[in-house]
Amino acid sequence: ERQSLISGRLRHLERLELASPDGAGVWRVPDGLEPSLRHLGRRGDIINSLRYDMAPNQRDHLLESAVIHDAEVDLSAVSDTAHSKAHIQEPITGRLIRRGLYDELEDRHCLVIDATDGRVHVVDIGPGDRTPPIPDNAIVHIEANVGTLRPSDRTIADIAGRNFGYYSEDIHRRTQPDASDRYISAHVRRLEAVRRGVGGIERLDGGMFILGKTYPEKALRFEQQKILDTPVSVEVLSHRPLTQLISRQAYTWLDQQLLETPAIALSDRGFGDDVRTAMQRRYRWLEAEGLVQGEGDGAFTFDSNLKRVLTNREVNAEGRRLSAQSGVPFGRVVEYERFEGTLTGKAELSSGTFAIVERAQDFVLVPWRDTLEKQIGREIGGVMHGRDIDWSFGITKSLGIGF
């Protein structure tokens, strides 16, 4: 009976292309059988759980097209590049079906994407705390993270190669006499980070390092470890669902697709077909608003101020809403006049993210940049000129931010 069970299991593995007969009573199984079986088991679990998230008419599409992307890492044949092995295909754009657990034991999360290529992608995004919350049905863009040797790694390897595998601040200074102390200290910090991250580098008293001849491989291994923690970059293209963008008074992701050349490739099934239909309806809405004119033979022209008009409409509507909610008047930023106030937060709009700056008598909405994150709750100032804002944080720190 045991032999019968084993034979049955081997025949099942053969159907999965994970085993092959090699003579009478002898079977050959490939290396890596265990992770392959784990991958198949995980795929089955994920697809079964997704049955509840998909409309009945989409389930066959899901089963046919689901692609599982494990965050494995490959050391490329190119000697200075490490990349996520399962993410080397084209970037993924689509609707977020849901976020879930990919590996409960290691607290790895995944995003399930109904993509414009007509397939459903399940993407391992690493530990849950590395990617902020994203609303279901948001439109997202996912690309693989790539780790490469830094210029400092090449400099460290070159200096060690000239000095029998040894590196120190003094050796660096003798090799590059014009290098500043700050520049050299940055190299030491990088070397110490690699040493602690992957080992294989000895540090002696007095700040001397013994690298040997394999430092580039160690530095690349260090980047490899970081990619396992953050295998992909996730950009939210629209926090709002596709259906809410069709008649929205805002410069939306659909408008970007209508204006882009070439436009994103769209499949004739799944989310790709949904986007194509939505773009057609958005075009008709823009035409009714007088923001696009047909020229015959299928040609059309967009209003040259389309982005500015739609952005202003949404910003003004959001300002009125926040004013009604808070009781604080909504103001305007006058070009070339300095404004000052407290950065109290940000507003996620279809036209982009905007900073909320509360002044003495009112508040204003101005374009956001990630650099402002650390300034929330602080007094800031700025001057708008043309399409730009020159921000000032305190007395000496400034940053130009454009629309």
Side-chain angles (χ1 to χ4, degrees):
E1 182 180 356
R2 174 181 171 81
Q3 187 62 37
S4 176
L5 290 172
I6 292 175
S7 297
R9 181 61 175 173
L10 287 168
R11 286 192 294 273
H12 177 68
L13 293 176
E14 182 183 16
R15 289 193 293 272
L16 297 175
E17 298 183 351
L18 294 175
S20 58
D22 189 23
V26 178
W27 290 79
R28 183 184 299 275
V29 295
D31 295 334
L33 176 62
E34 184 177 349
S36 297
L37 290 173
R38 282 201 305 270
H39 176 81
L40 288 173
R42 183 181 292 124
R43 185 180 192 278
D45 291 341
I46 290 171
I47 290 177
N48 286 334
S49 69
L50 287 176
R51 291 179 185 274
Y52 301 99
D53 297 310
M54 304 291 288
N57 62 340
Q58 293 178 311
R59 288 174 185 163
D60 290 342
H61 159 60
L62 169 66
L63 292 171
E64 292 173 5
S65 68
V67 182
I68 312 296
H69 299 275
D70 287 315
E72 299 175 3
V73 174
D74 179 40
L75 288 182
S76 171
V78 180
S79 62
D80 61 351
T81 304
H83 53 84
S84 335
K85 184 176 182 181
H87 298 288
I88 58 176
Q89 63 270 31
E90 293 297 315
I92 299 167
T93 299
R95 174 180 70 90
L96 175 61
I97 298 174
R98 71 171 174 85
R99 176 175 180 159
L101 277 174
Y102 192 77
D103 188 325
E104 188 172 2
L105 293 178
E106 297 186 10
D107 188 36
R108 297 187 72 87
H109 287 213
C110 66
L111 298 182
V112 184
I113 309 297
D114 187 6
T116 54
D117 65 2
R119 298 184 294 175
V120 171
H121 298 261
V122 181
V123 183
D124 179 359
I125 60 172
D129 59 354
R130 301 302 173 91
T131 302
I134 303 172
D136 290 350
N137 295 310
I139 301 171
V140 299
H141 180 80
I142 301 177
E143 292 191 19
N145 283 334
V146 177
T148 62
L149 290 180
R150 299 182 180 183
S152 58
D153 293 322
R154 297 187 178 90
T155 300
I156 291 169
D158 178 65
I159 292 173
R162 300 182 188 184
N163 292 274
F164 308 101
Y166 288 86
Y167 176 92
S168 69
E169 289 191 27
D170 290 339
I171 291 175
H172 192 147
R173 193 168 287 108
R174 288 198 302 270
T175 306
Q176 295 183 331
D178 296 333
S180 67
D181 290 344
R182 183 177 180 181
Y183 177 80
I184 294 174
S185 294
H187 286 70
V188 174
R189 288 195 300 271
R190 170 64 175 178
L191 179 53
E192 178 62 19
V194 174
R195 185 184 75 86
R196 293 184 179 184
V198 299
I201 299 171
E202 186 177 357
R203 181 167 189 169
L204 306 177
D205 293 340
M208 180 72 72
F209 294 86
I210 303 178
L211 277 63
K213 298 181 179 180
T214 60
Y215 175 74
E217 288 81 0
K218 293 182 177 68
L220 195 55
R221 182 68 60 182
F222 181 65
E223 293 299 319
Q224 178 186 24
Q225 289 182 350
K226 293 198 295 184
I227 289 178
L228 284 174
D229 285 339
T230 54
V232 295
S233 296
V234 182
E235 178 186 3
V236 180
L237 302 176
S238 172
H239 286 83
R240 294 180 179 274
L242 181 67
T243 54
Q244 293 185 15
L245 304 183
I246 294 170
S247 58
R248 184 163 181 78
Q249 295 278 7
Y251 185 71
T252 71
W253 178 73
L254 284 176
D255 301 316
Q256 296 175 32
Q257 300 313 304
L258 286 168
L259 292 172
E260 278 186 6
T261 304
I264 188 173
L266 300 174
S267 169
D268 60 358
R269 58 188 298 182
F271 188 68
D273 188 51
D274 293 342
V275 172
R276 181 180 290 104
T277 300
M279 288 174 65
Q280 293 169 353
R281 294 178 61 189
R282 180 64 173 179
Y283 170 82
R284 291 194 292 270
W285 183 88
L286 291 171
E287 191 174 33
E289 292 288 313
L291 294 172
V292 61
Q293 292 81 38
E295 299 180 348
D297 299 326
F300 51 87
T301 302
F302 288 99
D303 189 304
S304 59
N305 293 316
L306 182 145
K307 180 177 181 180
R308 182 180 294 276
V309 168
L310 291 175
T311 298
N312 287 342
R313 288 181 185 181
E314 185 182 30
V315 169
N316 291 336
E318 179 67 8
R320 291 191 296 268
R321 187 189 71 81
L322 291 174
S323 178
Q325 184 181 73
S326 65
V328 179
F330 173 51
R332 302 289 189 274
V333 175
V334 180
E335 190 171 5
Y336 302 118
E337 288 188 10
R338 180 174 177 79
F339 65 93
E340 295 179 346
T342 302
L343 178 61
T344 59
K346 57 184 176 180
E348 300 281 1
L349 306 182
S350 298
S351 302
T353 304
F354 289 78
I356 305 172
V357 181
E358 188 169 332
R359 303 188 293 193
Q361 303 295 329
D362 59 15
F363 73 92
V364 293
L365 294 173
V366 291
W368 172 271
R369 288 296 182 268
D370 290 340
T371 315
L372 295 173
E373 193 76 51
K374 295 181 180 179
Q375 305 300 324
I376 291 179
R378 298 181 179 179
E379 293 292 321
I380 61 174
V383 177
M384 178 180 291
H385 51 90
R387 298 170 62 94
D388 297 316
I389 296 177
D390 283 340
W391 286 102
S392 58
F393 310 134
I395 298 175
T396 60
K397 190 174 181 181
S398 66
L399 174 68
I401 295 183
F403 286 97

